[in-house]
């Protein structure tokens, strides 16, 4: 069954969308080219990514939440409850002390990493849903969802069960995969290929001009390339001291796509929300222009995000508190609690503030009303 293609509708404009919502994928490839083609130091690339992209995207969320006086008046409970995310890590750290084992906190760190990838995948589906909404295209939502989830999660699971460092973290045998594991790995690759091929054929037959089609295919192809192929080269940092340094390149190329999208989406939302309305306090000033907005995100990254990163004691070059202890607890473990508490705070708030259903103001600010 086919339909007549109409002109595609973009969320903001063709130029803006291609730059901010698609462009992060090009940056992933650029960082790969800088490392493999030019030989740029991985530690330098990692810190550039962390401070120029990852930190600002966390700061962007605050420009429409904690800095907004109106949010404190209308949703104070959400903003206060979200701060409880900083308690999660210390609970597992206390479990270390009680059990006299490092396992509880290692479980926390493993869950945090998994939750982070889940957050990235959910954002990608959010963009697919937004493109469907603005193009009035709801017929394919189920196949969109399944293709995106299979396309993102199959390569991730493949990586977990095949990469030696990932297997070590999961406490699977190193250097040997059972026949069942080999079959599962092959099946994951096959399912990923079938999902992309099937979706491409389906989309061509529908002949609907919706930017979500190239966006979705681009996303799953990128993550497939990363986890099926690029991951084999990790760890690329020869002086790696543990899991946080084993996957520096993967951290960059997986998350930078998400970072750029988020900064662009928040600015589009904020421009519409704070452009004329009053009563938003500091948020109104911060969002007066793109330069002020980006400067605020950069200041957050340089002042707060950098401090939190160094306090974890696990990232190359800047490692504070690694030799200091508070009884059975290392100070850098407290730093890790703060680091992941900030990430959890971001994940939790995002689940609440981007719910379009039942929020006419959000629909209006995203141009969907």
């Amino acid at each position: 069954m086919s339909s007549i293609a109409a002109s595609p509708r973009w969320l903001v404009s063709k130029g803006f969308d291609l730059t901010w919502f698609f462009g992060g994928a090009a940056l992933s490839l650029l960082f790969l080219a800088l490392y493999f083609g030019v030989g740029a130091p991985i530690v330098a690339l990692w810190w550039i990514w962390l401070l120029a992209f990852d930190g600002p995207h966390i700061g962007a969320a605050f420009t429409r939440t904690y800095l907004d006086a109106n949010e404190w008046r209308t949703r104070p409970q959400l903003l206060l409850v979200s701060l409880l995310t900083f308690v999660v890590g210390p609970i597992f750290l206390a479990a270390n002390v009680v059990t006299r084992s490092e396992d509880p906190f290692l479980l926390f760190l493993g869950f945090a990493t998994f939750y982070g990838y889940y957050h990235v995948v959910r954002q990608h589906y959010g963009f697919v849903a937004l493109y469907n909404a603005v193009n009035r295209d709801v017929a394919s939502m189920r196949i969109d969802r399944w293709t995106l989830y299979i396309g993102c999660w199959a390569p991730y699971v493949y990586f977990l069960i095949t990469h030696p460092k990932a297997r070590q973290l999961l406490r699977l045998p190193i250097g040997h995969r059972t026949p069942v594991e080999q079959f599962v790995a092959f099946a994951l690759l096959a399912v990923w290929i079938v999902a992309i091929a099937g979706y491409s054929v389906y989309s061509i037959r529908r002949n609907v001009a919706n930017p979500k089609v190239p966006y979705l295919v681009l996303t799953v192809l990128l993550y497939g390339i990363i986890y099926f192929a690029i991951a084999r080269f990790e760890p690329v940092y020869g002086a790696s001291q543990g899991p946080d340094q084993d996957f520096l390149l993967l951290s960059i190329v997986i998350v930078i796509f998400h970072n750029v999208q988020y900064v662009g989406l928040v600015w589009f939302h904020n421009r519409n929300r704070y452009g004329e309305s009053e009563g938003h306090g500091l948020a109104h000033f911060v969002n007066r222009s793109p330069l002020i907005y980006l400067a605020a995100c950069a200041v957050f990254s340089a002042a707060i995000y950098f401090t939190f990163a160094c306090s974890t004691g696990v990232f190359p070059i800047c490692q504070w508190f690694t030799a200091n202890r508070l009884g059975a607890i290392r100070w850098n473990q407290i730093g890790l609690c703060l680091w992941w508490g900030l990430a959890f705070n971001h994940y939790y708030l995002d689940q609440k503030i981007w719910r379009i259903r039942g929020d006419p103001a959000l629909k209006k600010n995203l141009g969907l009303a």
Side-chain angles (χ1 to χ4, degrees), residues 97 323-334:
V97 177
N324 304 96
R325 303 187 71 91
L326 182 65
I329 298 173
R330 297 190 303 275
W331 274 106
N332 73 291
Q333 289 179 313
I334 298 175

Side-chain angles (χ1 to χ4, degrees), residues 11-12 16-17 19-22 57 60-61 63-64 122-124 126-128 130-131 215 257-274 287 293-294 350 353-354 356 362 365-368:
L11 295 179
V12 184
F16 189 98
D17 286 27
T19 299
W20 291 98
F21 303 152
F22 287 68
H57 111 277
T63 66
R64 60 155 302 197
R122 284 294 298 174
Q123 176 175 291
H124 286 307
F127 275 96
V128 171
L130 287 174
Y131 278 120
Y215 172 81
F257 191 5
H258 162 82
N259 296 154
V260 176
Q261 289 178 324
Y262 194 84
V263 171
L265 182 66
V266 173
W267 165 248
F268 173 57
H269 166 275
N270 290 1
R271 183 190 68 184
N272 295 332
R273 181 176 187 179
Y274 304 119
N287 293 286
Y293 164 75
L294 292 175
D350 263 22
I353 64 177
W354 295 108
I356 295 176
L362 180 59
N365 294 329
L366 291 177
L368 302 176

Side-chain angles (χ1 to χ4, degrees), residues 27-35 45 48-49 53 252-253 256:
L27 280 177
S28 292
L29 299 179
L30 174 61
F31 271 76
L32 289 175
L34 288 173
Y35 178 74
L45 293 176
I48 290 171
W49 159 71
F53 296 96
I252 297 170
V253 295
I256 197 170

Side-chain angles (χ1 to χ4, degrees), residues 83-96:
L83 297 176
L84 293 177
T85 56
F86 288 93
V87 179
V88 179
I91 291 175
F92 282 86
L93 203 52
N96 270 19

Side-chain angles (χ1 to χ4, degrees), residues 198-220:
Y199 185 77
S200 300
V201 171
Y202 171 80
S203 299
I204 292 172
R205 292 184 61 189
R206 288 189 73 222
N207 193 31
V208 173
N210 186 338
K212 67 88 182 281
V213 174
Y215 172 81
L216 194 155
V217 173
L218 172 67
T219 300
V220 298

